[in-house]
Amino acid sequence: MATGTDLRHRLPDVTAPTLVLHRRNCLNVDAGHATYLAANLPRARLQTVAGTDALWFTDTGDLLRHAVDFLAR
């Protein structure tokens, strides 16, 4: 269901600052998705990190650092 739902038309309605994280060499999520989100969410920032997977709990050092920096602003 999640992959069959298209909510792109709702992205402009998001008012919260948004951090979009993406691993540069991700094997299962195309970088274009992250780029699109960052370009179409009104207050988004894209941050890419090293890695090849889309799992947030692996190699968390960079992800955590970027999340903390984002929240501290």
Side-chain angles (χ1 to χ4, degrees), residues 13-18 43-44:
D13 298 333
V14 176
T15 59
T18 305
R43 299 171 63 195

Side-chain angles (χ1 to χ4, degrees), residues 45-62:
R45 184 174 88 192
L46 173 62
Q47 185 65 57
T48 59
V49 297
T52 59
D53 62 47
L55 302 174
W56 62 269
F57 51 82
T58 61
D59 300 324
T60 58
D62 281 343

Side-chain angles (χ1 to χ4, degrees), residues 13-24:
D13 298 333
V14 176
T15 59
T18 305
L19 176 62
V20 179
L21 292 168
H22 185 78
R23 296 194 195 268
R24 283 188 281 283

Side-chain angles (χ1 to χ4, degrees), residues 8 11 20 22-24 26 28-40 46 48:
R8 288 177 287 182
L11 295 178
V20 179
H22 185 78
R23 296 194 195 268
R24 283 188 281 283
C26 187
N28 49 351
V29 178
D30 187 272
H33 295 294
T35 303
Y36 182 88
L37 283 175
N40 289 278
L46 173 62
T48 59

